[in-house]
């Protein structure tokens, strides 16, 4: 059944009056831009080209919680072009009005800036249309193609299209083939770019990721494909690049001569919530290790790129991924730990064990925790262990990168009171975003007491502006054609070639006796033993 379409207010061709209005609205927007710190500030000298944003899976969870609030926020801060249209695509029948009302409720619930700016919303709402379509049939894609052409004429979207696939991973191939069939992949000369954004997870292992890359490449060129890992859009992750390459004093010590080891933690206090079925198929290694943890590791370990051009950056990240020692079965047995939470208490609230969660097999062997010791075989990092860990139902939500430096060569203050510990540089990715440097200091007084103290930089107090949500950053970048924060085909495959041997190795071994950590604790004992064997311990987050 085709949805009843609410007529779009503007007539097909632009009249002189409309052109005048568009010009004065552009001027108004430009004036607003002058006051907009985002626009004046860091990097935005341009607004994306006129375009249609085609949101597949528009009625889904991700679209409602993340994508639409991000679009609204970009629109509200004048970061989208006036000639913009959003075509929402999903299976259920909706009128434009009904869809807009539903999205409005989600934006209200999830927007980071409240209350909703009514004028901005009214303008954005005019640009949203709903297109009912079943991915399995040709007819909907034929209609979509026609509709996009109409919008070019009605709204001046100039043939530019971004297809955002907020859909199940198994549906990516058929959508992409359909886009190819109706010619929506073809870029036109001079204007008319076509881009596709693909959500994570990208494949389940090395082979499936390769197959997916191959299917995408049958339709789109690599430069048209934007694989999203929303961690890369986080303000603090982007700041890591500025921290490393915008300051002269850290790079000289950023290597095996000075760094003892690196710890990267992605801790979640939540369990699987309503996504038990999804998690059963995924587990912590596919959900976090393959993408977020390895991406953070590449940003810490990469060589300076020659520019911030997307390929220059991604070439360097790829070198790191390729230099990570591929885990063999012995490595998997000794240096990688998996865990699954049992019942316990998290932040004062009783939490059920993983096997008691809805849609989870009561004998599930899916890991909700993974920790591993990895090494990078290159001159900079040879011999420096990188300890990565991620888990659900840990005591708190925190993502952190900690660089621990070597001890001083001669412990001059050995006999003083106190306990000077090695320097640590900790970058807090979320929450309480900031950077902390731990160093030794003399306690005031006549004696020679030495203590470690923290020098802290806190994003929230240092800058009086709110950080954009990662989806705002990434959607805007995709619209601008900047792929530097998106993963390239070879990068995704290289990351899978680190994680696949772990998953395959586990399949040949007996799983540990799950559950092996209680909800509200920092993971299984085996993870602590992994560190103790190396004479180290996990940082207390
Ligand atoms: N949700 C998150 O927090 C999150 C986070 C990171 C990544 N992701 C990724 O984002 C993607 C989407 O996740 P989600 O949680 O938003 O999924 P979801 O809630 O299940 O939404 C799926 C969407 O796809 C549409 N759809 C399904 N089958 C269709 C068909 N045959 N034809 C047309 N439309 C169809 C649904 O439309 P109808 O409702 O009309 O059937 C719905 O809009 C997944 O790849 C997921 O891994 C999600």
């Amino acid at each position: 059944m085709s949805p009843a379409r609410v007529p779009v207010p503007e007539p097909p061709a632009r009249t002189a009056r409309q052109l005048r209005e568009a010009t004065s609205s552009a001027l108004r927007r430009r004036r607003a831009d002058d006051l907009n710190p985002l626009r004046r500030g860091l990097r935005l000298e341009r607004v994306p080209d006129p375009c249609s944003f085609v949101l597949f899976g528009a009625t889904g969870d991700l679209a409602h919680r993340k994508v639409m609030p991000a679009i609204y926020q970009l629109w509200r801060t004048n970061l989208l072009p006036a000639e913009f249209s959003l075509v929402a695509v999903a299976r259920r029948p909706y009128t434009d009005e009904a869809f807009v009302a539903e999205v409005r409720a989600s934006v209200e619930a999830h927007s980071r800036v409240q209350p909703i700016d009514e004028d901005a919303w009214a303008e954005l709402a005019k640009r949203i249309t709903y297109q009912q379509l079943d991915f399995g049939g040709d007819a909907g894609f034929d209609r979509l193609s026609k509709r996009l052409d109409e919008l070019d004429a009605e709204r001046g979207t100039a043939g530019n299209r971004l297809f955002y696939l907020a859909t199940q991973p198994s549906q990516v191939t058929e959508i992409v083939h359909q886009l190819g069939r109706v010619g929506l992949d073809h870029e036109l000369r001079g204007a008319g770019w076509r881009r596709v954004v693909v959500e994570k997870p990208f494949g389940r292992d090395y082979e499936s990721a390769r197959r997916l890359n191959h299917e995408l490449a049958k339709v789109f060129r690599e430069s048209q494909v934007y694989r999203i890992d929303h961690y890369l859009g986080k303000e603090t992750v982007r700041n890591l690049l500025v921290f490393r390459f915008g300051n002269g004093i850290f790079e000289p010590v950023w290597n095996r001569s000075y760094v003892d080891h690196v710890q990267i933690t992605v801790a979640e206090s939540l369990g699987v919530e309503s996504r038990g079925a999804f998690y059963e198929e995924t587990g912590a290694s596919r959900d976090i290790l393959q993408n977020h943890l390895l991406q953070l590791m590449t940003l810490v370990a990469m060589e300076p790129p020659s520019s911030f051009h997307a390929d220059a950056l991604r070439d360097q990240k790829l070198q790191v991924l390729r230099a990570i020692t591929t885990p063999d079965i012995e490595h998997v047995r000794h240096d990688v730990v998996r865990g699954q939470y049992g019942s316990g208490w998290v932040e004062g609230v009783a939490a059920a064990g993983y096997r008691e969660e809805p849609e989870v097999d009561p004998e599930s062997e899916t890991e909700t925790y993974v920790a591993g010791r990895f090494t990078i075989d290159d001159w900079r990092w040879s011999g420096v262990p990188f300890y990565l860990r991620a888990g659900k139902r840990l005591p708190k939500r925190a993502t952190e990168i900690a660089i621990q430096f070597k001890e001083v060569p001669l412990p001059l203050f050995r006999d003083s009171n106190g306990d000077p510990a090695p320097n640590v540089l900790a970058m807090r990715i979320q929450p309480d975003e900031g950077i902390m440097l731990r160093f030794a200091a003399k306690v005031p007084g006549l004696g020679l007491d030495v203590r470690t103290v923290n020098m802290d930089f806190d994003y929230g107090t240092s800058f009086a502006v709110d950080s954009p949500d990662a989806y705002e950053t990434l959607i805007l970048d995709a619209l601008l054609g900047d792929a530097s924060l998106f993963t390239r085909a070879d990068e995704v495959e290289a990351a899978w070639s680190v994680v696949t041997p772990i998953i395959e190795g586990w399949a040949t071994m007996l799983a540990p006796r799950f559950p092996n950590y209680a909800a509200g604790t920092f993971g299984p004992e085996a993870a602590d033993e992994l560190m103790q064997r190396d004479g180290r311990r996990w940082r207390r987050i």
Side-chain angles (χ1 to χ4, degrees):
M1 192 185 89
S2 171
R5 184 170 299 290
V6 173
V8 179
E10 277 101 355
R14 289 176 136 204
T15 61
R17 182 179 61 80
Q18 281 172 329
L19 278 173
R20 260 198 324 276
E21 278 175 8
T23 313
S24 71
S25 118
L27 280 174
R28 272 201 309 279
R29 292 162 71 78
R30 203 152 302 142
R31 254 176 253 131
D33 291 349
D34 293 342
L35 301 171
N36 180 344
L38 252 181
R39 183 65 71 71
R40 277 187 293 118
L42 302 176
R43 65 203 177 99
L44 286 173
E45 270 106 47
R46 61 195 181 107
V47 191
D49 300 327
C51 61
S52 286
F53 185 99
V54 185
L55 179 56
F56 287 92
T59 54
D61 179 65
L62 183 76
H64 277 257
R65 278 192 314 109
K66 290 290 180 187
V67 180
M68 286 308 305
I71 293 279
Y72 159 73
Q73 191 59 27
L74 292 172
W75 177 264
R76 193 187 73 80
T77 46
N78 301 309
L79 295 171
L80 294 180
E83 296 84 1
F84 176 77
S85 80
L86 188 139
V87 182
V89 177
R91 190 167 37 183
R92 283 176 250 176
Y94 271 102
T95 60
D96 288 348
E97 276 167 326
F99 181 76
V100 165
E102 192 174 286
V103 161
R104 155 85 196 220
S106 308
V107 170
E108 262 176 17
H110 300 292
S111 175
R112 67 183 172 84
V113 181
Q114 302 286 353
I116 299 292
D117 175 336
E118 293 300 340
D119 291 345
W121 176 258
E123 279 299 310
L124 177 61
K126 276 192 220 163
R127 290 163 171 81
I128 300 176
T129 59
Y130 184 81
Q131 173 91 34
Q132 186 192 12
L133 174 159
D134 193 318
F135 303 150
D138 290 354
F141 284 89
D142 294 334
R143 280 201 310 277
L144 176 66
S145 174
K146 201 160 155 269
R147 182 77 191 114
L148 289 170
D149 288 342
E150 286 165 12
L151 286 168
D152 285 342
E154 290 169 17
R155 305 232 163 240
T157 42
N160 298 317
R161 279 119 207 217
L162 183 132
F163 303 104
Y164 193 113
L165 310 191
T167 60
Q168 293 310 316
S170 56
Q171 296 171 318
V172 168
T173 303
E174 72 182 331
I175 297 172
V176 163
H177 282 182
Q178 285 285 5
L179 293 175
R181 186 185 63 77
V182 293
L184 281 170
D185 57 318
H186 290 166
E187 298 204 312
L188 313 173
R189 207 171 298 136
W193 48 254
R194 309 286 158 92
R195 296 173 194 147
V196 61
V197 177
V198 184
E199 265 294 338
K200 77 163 248 230
F202 195 89
R204 292 186 46 75
D205 54 19
Y206 177 74
E207 272 312 320
S208 57
R210 261 175 73 97
R211 272 199 306 276
L212 188 48
N213 277 333
H214 182 68
E215 293 301 326
L216 280 166
K218 283 184 187 166
V219 178
F220 290 100
R221 282 177 289 109
E222 179 59 26
S223 59
Q224 294 175 281
V225 181
Y226 291 68
R227 293 172 198 76
I228 212 163
D229 178 344
H230 70 270
Y231 254 62
L232 294 185
K234 287 185 186 292
E235 202 67 356
T236 29
V237 173
R238 294 163 66 216
N239 187 47
L240 179 56
L241 294 172
V242 177
F243 184 82
R244 282 197 59 193
F245 306 125
N247 294 296
I249 62 169
F250 301 109
E251 209 46 31
V253 296
W254 209 265
N255 54 54
R256 62 192 291 271
S257 305
Y258 294 91
V259 174
D260 177 72
H261 73 276
V262 177
Q263 295 186 20
I264 308 181
T265 302
V266 176
E268 295 172 87
S269 56
L270 291 178
V272 291
E273 309 303 296
S274 59
R275 304 183 84 209
F278 161 80
Y279 206 80
E280 275 287 89
E281 294 295 311
T282 312
S285 46
R286 289 188 172 97
D287 193 34
I288 307 284
L289 175 61
Q290 186 273 340
N291 36 68
H292 304 333
L293 276 172
L294 286 181
Q295 283 294 326
L296 293 179
M297 180 171 166
T298 59
L299 293 173
V300 171
M302 66 189 259
E303 294 300 319
S306 55
S307 75
F308 275 117
H309 184 268
D311 277 331
L313 197 66
R314 298 187 296 182
D315 285 347
Q316 297 299 5
K317 286 165 64 197
L318 179 65
Q319 292 310 318
V320 175
L321 288 166
R322 288 193 171 152
I324 296 175
T325 318
T326 308
D328 59 20
I329 193 76
E330 279 313 298
H331 178 122
V332 176
R333 202 183 305 279
H334 291 114
D335 294 335
V336 187
V337 169
R338 55 184 152 157
Q340 187 192 77
Y341 61 85
S343 57
W345 291 83
V346 183
E347 292 165 344
V349 179
Y354 176 69
R355 291 176 175 184
E356 284 103 61
E357 302 272 18
E359 298 176 5
V360 170
D361 180 348
E363 294 183 11
S364 171
E365 296 199 339
T366 301
E367 80 287 357
T368 60
Y369 178 98
V370 61
R373 176 190 198 277
F374 296 89
T375 46
I376 299 173
D377 291 330
D378 67 11
W379 273 47
R380 186 190 281 261
W381 296 113
S382 179
V384 178
F386 282 68
Y387 299 98
L388 313 187
R389 62 175 166 166
K392 284 195 173 289
R393 284 288 187 226
L394 302 190
K396 55 161 76 167
R397 169 174 169 260
T399 299
E400 187 199 77
I401 299 169
I403 320 274
Q404 177 154 332
F405 291 89
K406 292 189 171 171
E407 299 204 2
V408 290
L410 183 64
L412 285 175
F413 303 107
R414 188 172 33 204
D415 300 327
S416 68
N417 292 323
D419 179 21
N423 298 118
V424 172
L425 181 73
M427 286 164 268
R428 298 187 301 273
I429 307 296
Q430 68 179 17
D432 308 328
E433 293 85 346
I435 298 173
M436 183 279 294
L437 180 65
R438 182 176 80 185
F439 58 93
K442 182 187 170 305
V443 179
L446 299 176
L448 187 57
D449 292 357
V450 178
R451 298 271 161 78
T452 50
V453 293
N454 295 341
M455 192 158 68
D456 227 324
F457 154 73
D458 180 74
Y459 251 83
T461 48
S462 300
F463 296 108
V465 287
D466 262 0
S467 295
D469 183 77
Y471 277 87
E472 290 167 40
T473 302
L474 294 172
I475 288 172
L476 185 61
D477 279 0
L479 289 171
L480 287 167
D482 179 352
S484 38
L485 299 177
F486 294 83
T487 36
R488 211 170 50 190
D490 46 8
E491 235 185 300
V492 172
E493 290 175 17
W496 274 120
S497 66
V498 175
V499 174
T500 304
I502 297 174
I503 296 169
E504 289 178 351
W506 283 344
T508 65
M509 297 174 197
L510 268 182
R513 281 167 65 91
F514 284 158
N516 59 353
Y517 70 100
T521 64
F522 262 113
E525 271 175 25
D528 295 333
E529 288 160 14
L530 169 84
M531 293 296 261
Q532 281 156 13
R533 277 206 304 274
D534 289 356
R536 302 187 172 102
R537 59 175 185 218
W538 294 108
R539 268 173 59 75
R540 280 181 50 190
I541 302 273

